Structure formats: C-alpha cells, structure tokens
Amino acid sequence: MNSKVYLDHNATTPVDSRVLDVMLPYFSEHYGNPANNTHSFGKRAENAIEKSREQLSRLIGANPREIFFTSGATESNNMVLKGIPSFYEHKGNHIVSVTTEHKSVLCCCELHKKNVGKLTLLDVDNFGLIKTNDVEESLSDETLLLSVMMVNNETGVIQPIEKIGKICRAHGVLFHSDAAQAIGKIPFNVESMMVDLVSISSHKMYGPKGVGALYMKKNKPRVHLTPLIDGGGQEDGIRSGTLNVPAIVGFGEAAQIAMERLKEDGLRLIAQREHFEQGISDQLSNINIIGYTSRRVPGTTNISFSGCNGQNLVKELKGLAVSSGSACNTSNVEPSHVLTSMGLDYDSAMGAVRFSLGRDTTDADIEFTIGHVIETVKKLRTSI
Ligand SMILES: *Cc1c(COP(=O)(O)O)cnc(C)c1O
C-alpha cells in the first residue's frame, strides 16, 4: 500500500519544516539539561524551554507558569482524571464525562469507577452534542471534576465549552477539556472558556510526537493534583523526568506557527471540505455526513456510505490515507463508540470513513479524492 494523498491529519500531522529546523540544534549542539542550569549548556536549554512555554501559553491565552510539559495528551488526560480525584479525595469522589470522549479519558473514568468512585457519563444527541441541562443536572456536592473534550477526533464536532465552563464555575466544579483536536485549529482561550485544566498534543498541530502539555489554572481557583510521575521535581513537581528539550522546542514553534496561520488555514480548509462534501453528495446517494449541521472544526468530515463497509472501503481506496472508525484501535472491528453514541445504527457506523484535511492538503488532493471515493463506493455497492 503506497498512499499518496494523506487525509488522516486527525491521527497525526507531519512536522512543519520550520519546526524541524528549530529542533535540530537541540540534539547534539545545545544538549544541556535545563535542570542543571549552573552552566551555559543547561542555561541555554532552560531558556529554550521557557520560550516554548511562552509560545504555547500565548496560543491559549494562559500564563506561562500554567503550562506543564508532558509526553502528550494521553498523559495529560491521565494526570487530570487520576490526579484530581486523588488530590481532592476529601471533597468528594464524583466525576462527570461524556460517552464520546477519547479512550484515554474513558479508560481513566472506568478505572475511577472500579476504584469505587462515582461516575456519570453524559450522552450526546444525534448531532454529537451534550445538553447543558444534562450537565447542570449531573452535578452534586460530591462532584469534583467535569471532563468534556472540546473537539471530537472522529467527527470534528465542537462542544459548547464556554457554556459548560460557566456552569462548572458557578457550581465550584473543576472543568477539564481534552483540546487535542481543537488547539491550532480554532481559537482557544482559557479565560473566556472558563476551563481549569486543558490537555494539548504537539503531534496534532504539526509538532513532533511524544510531547504535549497540561494547562492548569494558577489563580481563582488554583488547581492542584497528585502527580502521576514523581522524581526530580521538574515542572514544579507536577511531572518529574528530564525534559525532552528538542521536542518541547519544536512544540513551541508549532504553537507559534499555528497562531500565525490559524485564520488563513481555517478558511481554506472550510472551503476545501465544503467542496469535498458537495462533490461526494452530488454523485452518491445514501450517504450521511455525520454531525453535518453541528459546529465542526475546519477540515474534518466523517461520512457514512450505506451499503459499504468502512474498513473495506478504506482498503479499496488505494493511494489515499484515511481512517475508518477510531484510528487509535484499528485492529478493532467493533463500530466506533463515538458514532454509536450519536445514534448511528450498526451498519451506518461500520460504513463510516473519516477524512481529515490539513495544512498540506491541496485542491488537487481533494479532486483526486472525490473521484476516487465515488468510483470505489459505486464499485463496492454493485458487488454486493
Ligand atoms: C490524539 C488525541 C489524544 C492523544 O494524544 P497523544 O498526544 O497522542 O497522547 C487525546 N485526545 C484526543 C481528542 C486526541 O485526538
């Protein structure tokens, strides 16, 4: 399989060439340990880390002191979902999340329940959205934390984060958002969204893999958590371990570039996606663009082709890199939990393919994909 057109940017993105350029000197030239800053090697690394912290904080409207570097959004999610109930154990043991979250959140939720914590998972409607009424009703005196992803990785649907943040703040409940699919794609501001904790991933925004961050609010309220990883006390003792300096430097640059390009990329991706969806709808009947009427991030579309199996379709779409179901468990033949939660029946969920466009997607890529998808779906439908 030799894919030529990559439309799987929600699984991961290529490292921007400007990002790679700023990273390279930090491998074998400026290789100091930022924790050993009594000499120039360490000092140089420390300065680079602090620059990245500033670049990232600017992208989300935070203070640099509120940014903690991690190995990615999976780790950040684990830190929150495990570390908050542990730290605030005396206050209660109820957490609230949503059925369509990423597995790294859902697994921690299940673990919390297994450890005899209380758990509420909110349902979504056919549009992929939770209802603010349900949020309000789920909260009790025992509730410590509400965790709602900003943008769903499979559908691109955007949850009403500001409204949920307001409810949480009014009830004194900590609010976490897994924003791995939001940051770098749409404007994000921790103040206006009233979030207390945010998970961020570098490789979803044209930075290197294996690095991410947790935003944790420092004032009104100051948020605490029990660390997952103890040791040398790096990152204010919240996440020990020698920092991955080259990756963090790249992550910071990726944040800077995202800020510069966000608007322009967004407009282009919306136009490309609309053209794509129109092209497919014009030529194929019985398709369902999932979450079509909801607010979605630019560049993501998930389409269910009735009478086709998504996995077969993905296999038949040679020269095209796309995902069926969730990319994180491709060996799994179960329908996606996100799509079934949205009320899709088994066959529709199994017939879904996610196309996620990105910064490097050209109009020619879109034309190729439209033609290829139409031809392949028609072929598969007649072969039944
Ligand atoms: C990719 C992704 C993650 C995991 O991020 P990593 O940095 O790969 O650990 C978590 N949540 C969402 C919504 C994602 O898309």
Side-chain angles (χ1 to χ4, degrees):
M1 197 170 72
N2 197 359
S3 296
K4 292 196 186 72
V5 173
Y6 184 83
L7 295 184
D8 207 10
H9 291 82
N10 286 13
T12 196
T13 56
V15 171
D16 188 286
S17 62
R18 215 172 104 186
V19 167
L20 182 61
D21 286 345
V22 300
M23 287 173 70
L24 288 174
Y26 288 89
F27 285 98
S28 30
E29 203 179 323
H30 311 312
Y31 48 81
N33 185 335
N36 298 55
N37 60 4
T38 50
H39 48 66
S40 65
F41 291 84
K43 194 73 203 158
R44 180 140 203 170
E46 188 191 28
N47 289 342
I49 295 291
E50 293 318 310
K51 182 182 172 191
S52 290
R53 214 185 291 283
E54 261 166 45
Q55 288 170 313
L56 191 58
S57 66
R58 237 176 288 135
L59 180 65
I60 64 167
N63 183 305
R65 303 261 66 79
E66 298 175 309
I67 303 286
F68 301 88
F69 290 111
T70 68
S71 67
T74 298
E75 185 186 335
S76 303
N77 287 342
N78 272 261
M79 282 168 78
V80 173
L81 276 294
K82 292 173 180 167
I84 294 287
S86 162
F87 190 90
Y88 294 99
E89 181 174 46
H90 56 287
K91 283 198 163 177
N93 74 351
H94 180 221
I95 59 182
V96 180
S97 190
V98 187
T99 54
T100 52
E101 292 292 308
H102 190 265
K103 290 282 181 192
S104 56
V105 167
L106 288 177
C107 285
C108 292
C109 285
E110 291 307 326
L111 210 70
H112 177 73
K113 202 167 131 184
K114 227 171 120 186
N115 295 333
V116 299
K118 288 200 188 89
L119 171 70
T120 305
L121 286 184
L122 302 171
D123 286 321
V124 297
D125 59 20
N126 296 338
F127 310 102
L129 298 170
I130 56 170
K131 293 195 184 60
T132 45
N133 264 353
D134 290 351
V135 173
E136 196 103 39
E137 279 170 21
S138 72
L139 305 178
S140 76
D141 295 344
E142 288 269 283
T143 312
L144 294 176
L145 176 72
L146 191 107
S147 180
V148 179
M149 73 197 326
M150 176 143 190
V151 170
N152 187 274
N153 44 305
E154 293 187 35
T155 61
V157 167
I158 306 172
Q159 296 288 356
I161 291 297
E162 296 90 341
K163 286 187 194 153
I164 302 164
K166 219 179 218 168
I167 297 170
C168 288
R169 202 58 52 96
H171 287 78
V173 169
L174 292 174
F175 181 33
H176 166 245
S177 185
D178 173 356
Q181 294 289 348
I183 291 172
K185 292 193 177 91
I186 50 174
F188 192 94
N189 184 284
V190 294
E191 294 294 329
S192 65
M193 290 169 185
M194 299 197 194
V195 283
D196 301 305
L197 300 126
V198 178
S199 301
I200 314 169
S201 176
S202 154
H203 76 99
K204 303 288 174 70
M205 48 185 273
Y206 306 89
K209 294 171 183 56
V211 64
L214 177 66
Y215 158 84
M216 192 154 79
K217 194 169 162 65
K218 276 249 191 254
N219 273 310
K220 300 189 252 171
R222 183 193 175 102
V223 182
H224 299 273
L225 55 73
T226 307
L228 276 185
I229 303 176
D230 295 297
Q234 289 88 347
E235 297 299 270
D236 273 353
I238 290 297
R239 204 278 189 177
S240 287
T242 301
L243 293 170
N244 184 348
V245 180
I248 291 170
V249 166
F251 186 17
E253 191 68 14
Q256 172 91 37
I257 298 170
M259 207 153 64
E260 292 164 8
R261 298 196 49 153
L262 191 112
K263 201 168 168 189
E264 180 196 326
D265 281 353
L267 289 172
R268 202 196 73 251
L269 287 168
I270 287 172
Q272 286 180 331
R273 182 186 63 192
E274 281 175 358
H275 181 69
F276 176 70
E277 290 176 345
Q278 191 63 52
I280 297 288
S281 316
D282 282 349
Q283 297 284 329
L284 291 174
S285 53
N286 294 322
I287 65 154
N288 174 16
I289 301 173
I290 296 154
Y292 183 71
T293 55
S294 300
R295 206 157 55 105
R296 289 179 294 156
V297 282
T300 303
T301 184
N302 195 322
I303 306 182
S304 172
F305 301 89
S306 78
C308 281
N309 175 289
Q311 292 209 323
N312 288 346
L313 183 53
V314 166
K315 249 182 258 161
E316 288 296 317
L317 287 169
K318 296 188 178 65
L320 184 63
V322 291
S323 281
S324 75
S326 179
C328 301
N329 36 275
T330 38
S331 61
N332 204 336
V333 286
E334 291 288 296
S336 139
H337 72 283
V338 173
L339 304 183
T340 51
S341 296
M342 289 173 74
L344 270 79
D345 60 37
Y346 182 87
D347 286 336
S348 307
M350 291 301 268
V353 176
R354 177 186 71 187
F355 304 85
S356 48
L357 289 55
R359 203 177 273 168
D360 51 319
T361 303
T362 63
D363 291 347
D365 291 342
I366 298 296
E367 291 310 328
F368 166 78
T369 307
I370 293 172
H372 199 20
V373 168
I374 291 168
E375 194 184 320
T376 311
V377 168
K378 283 184 173 163
K379 194 178 85 188
L380 285 179
R381 279 179 176 171
T382 52
S383 70
I384 319 172

